[in-house]
Amino acid sequence: MSKPKSAPDNSADAIAASITGAVIEHRLPPGAKLGEEALAEVFGVSRTKVRQALIRLAQEKLVTLLPARGAYVAKPDAREARELFDARRVLERVLIERFTASATREQLATLREHLRAERAAIVGGDIARRNRLLGDFHVLIASMAGNQVMAQLIGELVRRSSLATLLFQTRRAAACSSDEHAELLDAIKKRDAIGAVRLMDTHLAHVERDLDAAG
């Protein structure tokens, strides 16, 4: 992971956010070693500040801290991945139903632009960007739904579940996922809450199925 070109904020929060981005985009794959000394050199900070960031990421289950061995990007097993998707289904059903009833014209336009960015990343073969954008679609809807507590939970669940799925996602699977996002947006535009909930369930089942195929 290269040092950001312009990153005046080298706080523990900023370091944690940068590492999180690298994990989501799989520039740091599951199981990758996170050396404190190397990260301190990358960010131009002390190892103490890096350690603070890693502890924060461990609390969010994105990093595993092993005594006498150091820090590693988390690598969820199949059971944990399924539990993450179970939790996502419960939350995202509620959020998509609420958002379908409340979505504004501006929010729909933002989602349409997001879908265009997804497509461009997929067609252009930008795997890191497509992985981030496919997850961000769900986080974006959660934040627009107006419940910030649930949005934060969805953000964490998306980050953690992506460790188990997106590493194995093919370009074809990514395109199908983006197509399903477009179908969701159509249902939201029509104020079809029942259809949107059904589509979200199907979409999450398909993403989880990719994990079964990879395993």
Side-chain angles (χ1 to χ4, degrees), residues 88 110-124 126-127 129-138 141 166 169-188 199-200 202-204 206-207 209-210:
R88 284 186 63 178
T110 297
L111 288 172
R112 281 196 297 272
E113 184 61 33
H114 187 93
L115 287 177
R116 282 193 285 270
E118 282 183 7
R119 277 296 176 187
I122 293 168
V123 172
D126 189 339
I127 297 175
R129 181 171 170 77
R130 94 179 182 207
N131 286 351
R132 178 174 58 80
L133 289 171
L134 288 171
D136 282 352
F137 179 83
H138 294 263
I141 286 178
L166 295 182
Q169 191 176 58
T170 64
R171 180 172 176 174
R172 179 178 179 183
C176 289
S177 193
S178 188
D179 287 343
E180 290 173 353
H181 287 175
E183 292 174 0
L184 270 167
L185 182 55
D186 285 341
I188 294 167
L199 286 167
M200 181 63 81
T202 300
H203 172 56
L204 291 176
H206 287 168
V207 177
R209 183 190 62 195
D210 291 339

Side-chain angles (χ1 to χ4, degrees), residues 19-74:
I19 294 173
T20 297
V23 169
I24 294 303
E25 296 181 357
H26 285 122
R27 290 179 281 118
L28 285 172
K33 177 72 181 292
L34 299 171
E36 289 182 7
E37 187 173 346
L39 288 171
E41 183 176 347
V42 166
F43 290 101
V45 298
S46 67
R47 291 180 63 175
T48 298
K49 191 165 288 187
V50 168
R51 193 173 302 118
Q52 291 172 347
L54 293 176
I55 290 172
R56 191 159 304 168
L57 292 173
Q59 292 171 341
E60 295 178 4
K61 309 299 183 184
L62 286 179
V63 165
T64 300
L65 298 177
L66 301 177
R69 292 181 56 190
Y72 297 80
V73 176

